[in-house]
Amino acid sequence: MEEKRELIGRKKKWEKSLEEELLPLEEKSSKEENLEALLKEGKWKRDGKEKPEKKVGVNRDNGVKNSSNSSDKNNSFGNRKGNGLEEKGVKKEENCQIEVKNPSKREENPKLENINKMEQDGNREQNTNRNKNRNKNWDWEQENKWKGENSDGDQNCKQSREEGSNLKSKTENRKEMEKSVKNGRSGKNGNKSSERFFENGNRSIENGKKKVKNGDSNRNNSLKNEEKECKTNGKLSQDKKGESKFLKGGKKSAKNGEESFSKGDKTSKISGKTAQNGESQPKTISKGQEKGAQTNPDKQKGNDKKGNGNKSFHWFKDLQRAVKENETIHRNRLTTHSRIKPNPNRWIKFTSLGGLEEIGGNCAVLESENSAIVIDCGMSFPKEDMHGVDILIPDFTYLKEIRNKIKGLIITHGHEDHIGAVPYLFKELQVPIYGTSFPLGMIRHKFREHKITQYQNYFRSVKKRHPIQIGDFKVEWIHMTHSIVDSSSLAIQTPVGTIIHTGDFKIDHTPIDGYPPDLHRLAHYGEQGVLALFSDSTNSHQSGITPSERIVGNTFRQIFQSTSGRIIMSTFSSNIHRVYQAILTAQQFGRKVAVIGRSMEQNLQLAMELGYIKFDKSIFIRPWEISKYPDNQILIITTGSQGESMSALYRMAKGEHRQKLKEGDQIIISAKAIPGNEPAVSKLINFLLKKGAQVAYQEFSEIHVSGHASQEEQKLMLRLVKPKYFFPVHGEFNHLVRHKLTAMETGIPEEHIFIMEDGEQWEIGSKGVRKVGKVKVGKVFIDNQLNEEIEKEIVESRQELAQKGIVLITLQIDRNRGEIIGKPRVVSYGIVSERENIPFGKEIEELLINFLEHNRQLFHRPRILENRLKDVIKKHIRRIKGLKKDKGEPIVVPIVNCN
């Protein structure tokens, strides 16, 4: 109510001031003055010329420059009011021509001189204002006087109305005199025309008052809308005096008001048209545009109609200024992360539990104060010295500590290094699993193997491009191409901003399934502003781009065409599109397909059940049916491309599989050795060649393509997302460092790039990024045959045994008599060769007998005796082997039985 009263009071005050300003005009104008003015103006008619008309007007609007959006909204109210006045009887008067029969007989009148003087004063002031606006070197002191120092929007509006009112009062007489010449009648009808003119003028004044009231009532709304739009468009910048360009609206509005009054229609149209023209002002433009853009509103309006209809478009005469404006646009589009609203009271924390400083074992935690999500949970391959270990999984100690915060497990795709450890995690804690259908189907198979199918009700299959609220995070799956179907990147909206996690990716524009990566969605988030990007670094040393998966099919056709025997193709069991191309090629060459290997059979069947690939089942045969067909009609698809000792291909090469290799078989290894697996792959190839098979591995450059992005694709990801902070992930330390250099090439500052290590906790917030701690991480050893964990101490003991060897001593003594019962027994492993084992054992026996005969006092202290025996034997072996102390010493295990 208080705002309403204030508004009404302001309207009354404005109406009163307008009446006071226009009152002298009515008093000074009399019938006689008008008649004599008509005679004076008649000279222009007599000479056949048309008097040049000065365009002078006043802006009765609120004195603020309005954008096209705000003016459109406000005009709707003003137009309704204007239309209402016309309907109530304020009709447009017909204009009449005045014919001056005898203009030469007019007499000089001192009152006419006063009118001319007023006209000259008004013209002079109008020209002065126009020159100021056109002058590039703007007089900033004069502008400060116009605005008033420390002026705000209300002061600016008031100043504009005062200037406009003064201009109107000084120039209205001249305009009315001109129109009375055109509209009045000659001779004795002059008085009647003058009276009619003043009646029309009074009506126009009343209409103008009402329009001004309407415009003033909308002033506050216009100010708010304009300021909001200016801030949104990034156009609210400071001028040379540090004042906002938005506050220049008062002066510009007054200028536009002058032009709008000059465009007013005939007598009765003045009030309505001026109000409309005063409100319909161009959109706010920058200082450079104000100097270089079109100054004629009529021409600008015509260009808008002829062009694309974009009323906010402005072109430049000053080319250098245009270049600077475009540079600003470039800077703004490359730093969209500045649009992120700061939230100083919130933070998120990222912790990697695996996948850094290694290839595989990817697992990470993203958490806020109240909730956490786990991103992938994969396995990795053991090293050669990890005897009896099949796979490695992350240490879940930290996940157990925050188990109450964890709201879900997020899966990006179905590779083993991203889902292989999920069953082991679920034996510790159970949380919902979110992912697309194919990786969830692969996890379902693992749950069956581990006999935990009761946890399948935790599966949550998602739709891409549809964000899901999970705790404090809103997660969206974005389609991405990789060496497996249904792979995804993640867009995670957090309390402090959006985070993009690429997962494993490549940019394949011609994928087998026809679904290229959803770059448009990544660009969408990039335009909104991305706080941090976590991106795949596996192929960061590879320049250029990674070839499309489609080119492998051409290599398959070349090999199939030149092979007359059996073809055995091995690849990753999860690479469904690679298998699909091999089967498609077999169809073209009339070959039957036999699938050998449990994981290969499961994944291929799952892909067909879910509809990712489609084949006529008649093309497939059972492994035991291979012998029924000629060799040139057989394609065998199997596992073992990484030289795994338990894989089908490895056992075929060793002769341990029921499917035996033949001389002349064509082996295709369509995969690249994972770093660390090169020796195993090399050993496999040697075994295959010894069997007489032909091996196609690296001879064909396009027999395999990577599923990871090369440098140019990594750059494209960085350019699309435009993150504020960058974290390279998924790779060894050298891969992360190279990815950092690539990011710097795209313009990301070095201080905004962070190389992490497993276990480190990094806090990301509005104030920046910092490392806040470290948690326990490591690897858990798994025997995959039993699906059980192997204690770390066991693995370390195996490693020690393999490196040092062992000596076992069995000794029996009689403590009462102080004698040795029988001879000591010595067995050694890994110390000497087998043929030297018997002489070495006798040598140790003699050493022990000699030692015991001189240390019978130790028979009653067996523990001390065992330790002394260890030292004696180790010293002797160092001497005969030439070993240094603690360097390669064997493990000595004495067993003393006392009677």
Side-chain angles (χ1 to χ4, degrees), residues 650-770:
Y650 189 89
R651 288 187 286 129
M652 289 181 197
K654 293 279 290 182
E656 299 173 354
H657 196 276
R658 61 187 175 189
Q659 188 63 48
K660 306 300 181 181
L661 293 179
K662 296 181 180 180
E663 187 173 350
D665 285 345
Q666 176 67 63
I667 311 297
I668 301 175
I669 301 179
S670 184
K672 182 181 179 181
I674 296 173
N677 286 357
E678 292 89 352
V681 175
S682 179
K683 184 188 297 185
L684 171 65
I685 293 174
N686 291 333
F687 286 145
L688 292 171
L689 292 174
K690 288 178 181 180
K691 290 292 183 179
Q694 299 177 4
V695 180
Y697 179 46
Q698 294 181 342
E699 293 82 1
F700 297 86
S701 60
E702 296 178 348
I703 199 170
H704 168 73
V705 294
S706 175
H708 297 273
S710 298
Q711 291 178 4
E712 295 305 313
E713 295 158 281
Q714 291 173 348
K715 291 177 183 177
L716 177 58
M717 179 64 70
L718 288 160
R719 288 299 193 187
L720 288 173
V721 175
K722 297 176 284 191
K724 183 175 184 180
Y725 303 114
F726 176 60
F727 296 82
V729 293
H730 298 178
E732 298 177 359
F733 190 80
N734 64 88
H735 296 105
L736 307 183
V737 172
R738 185 61 189 88
H739 202 176
K740 173 183 176 180
L741 298 178
T742 301
M744 293 172 61
E745 291 175 7
T746 64
I748 297 181
E750 184 177 5
E751 59 272 17
H752 285 185
I753 304 174
F754 305 92
I755 296 180
M756 304 178 292
E757 296 180 3
D758 286 334
E760 291 181 347
Q761 293 189 302
W762 290 80
E763 186 178 287
I764 309 171
S766 301
K767 297 179 180 179
V769 178
R770 59 173 183 160

Side-chain angles (χ1 to χ4, degrees), residues 348-354 356 363-367 373-375 398-399 402 534 756-763 772-777:
I348 58 172
K349 190 161 53 179
F350 185 89
T351 308
S352 177
L353 303 181
L356 303 180
C363 185
V365 184
L366 186 65
E367 58 183 305
I373 56 175
V374 181
I375 302 174
Y398 181 66
L399 296 181
I402 62 169
F534 296 80
M756 304 178 292
E757 296 180 3
D758 286 334
E760 291 181 347
Q761 293 189 302
W762 290 80
E763 186 178 287
V772 295
K774 193 174 181 67
V775 301
K776 180 183 177 182
V777 292

Side-chain angles (χ1 to χ4, degrees), residues 194-205:
S194 299
E195 292 175 0
R196 185 182 302 162
F197 164 75
F198 278 109
E199 290 176 2
N200 294 336
N202 290 334
R203 284 180 188 167
S204 299
I205 291 170

Side-chain angles (χ1 to χ4, degrees), residues 512-735:
I512 300 302
D513 58 5
Y515 300 133
D518 196 351
L519 302 181
H520 301 84
R521 199 62 179 163
L522 292 170
H524 162 75
Y525 281 104
E527 284 300 305
Q528 287 187 341
V530 172
L531 181 64
L533 170 66
F534 296 80
S535 186
D536 175 21
S537 306
T538 307
N539 252 12
S540 59
H541 287 286
Q542 186 68 37
S543 61
I545 62 173
T546 303
S548 171
E549 176 67 29
R550 192 174 293 274
I551 68 172
V552 179
N554 298 328
T555 304
F556 284 166
R557 281 187 286 273
Q558 295 177 18
I559 296 175
F560 273 64
Q561 190 172 8
S562 61
T563 302
S564 57
R566 296 188 306 178
I567 297 177
I568 301 173
M569 195 276 287
S570 178
T571 188
F572 292 104
S573 62
S574 59
N575 197 340
I576 299 300
H577 285 158
R578 186 74 51 83
V579 176
Y580 173 82
Q581 291 187 90
I583 297 174
L584 201 62
T585 307
Q587 270 187 325
Q588 295 172 0
F589 286 88
R591 291 177 179 262
K592 294 292 184 178
V593 179
V595 181
I596 299 177
R598 184 181 58 180
S599 61
M600 183 69 75
E601 292 176 1
Q602 288 180 347
N603 293 338
L604 188 59
Q605 183 178 1
L606 175 63
M608 295 178 67
E609 287 177 355
L610 296 177
Y612 291 101
I613 58 176
K614 296 179 182 179
F615 282 114
D616 186 353
K617 292 185 178 181
S618 62
I619 193 176
F620 297 99
I621 61 174
R622 299 293 183 181
W624 59 82
E625 296 178 319
I626 293 176
S627 59
K628 297 179 181 180
Y629 295 87
D631 290 349
N632 61 358
Q633 295 181 13
I634 294 298
L635 168 64
I636 298 174
I637 297 177
T638 186
T639 57
S641 61
Q642 295 302 302
E644 304 97 319
S645 59
M646 296 304 295
S647 66
L649 183 60
Y650 189 89
R651 288 187 286 129
M652 289 181 197
K654 293 279 290 182
E656 299 173 354
H657 196 276
R658 61 187 175 189
Q659 188 63 48
K660 306 300 181 181
L661 293 179
K662 296 181 180 180
E663 187 173 350
D665 285 345
Q666 176 67 63
I667 311 297
I668 301 175
I669 301 179
S670 184
K672 182 181 179 181
I674 296 173
N677 286 357
E678 292 89 352
V681 175
S682 179
K683 184 188 297 185
L684 171 65
I685 293 174
N686 291 333
F687 286 145
L688 292 171
L689 292 174
K690 288 178 181 180
K691 290 292 183 179
Q694 299 177 4
V695 180
Y697 179 46
Q698 294 181 342
E699 293 82 1
F700 297 86
S701 60
E702 296 178 348
I703 199 170
H704 168 73
V705 294
S706 175
H708 297 273
S710 298
Q711 291 178 4
E712 295 305 313
E713 295 158 281
Q714 291 173 348
K715 291 177 183 177
L716 177 58
M717 179 64 70
L718 288 160
R719 288 299 193 187
L720 288 173
V721 175
K722 297 176 284 191
K724 183 175 184 180
Y725 303 114
F726 176 60
F727 296 82
V729 293
H730 298 178
E732 298 177 359
F733 190 80
N734 64 88
H735 296 105

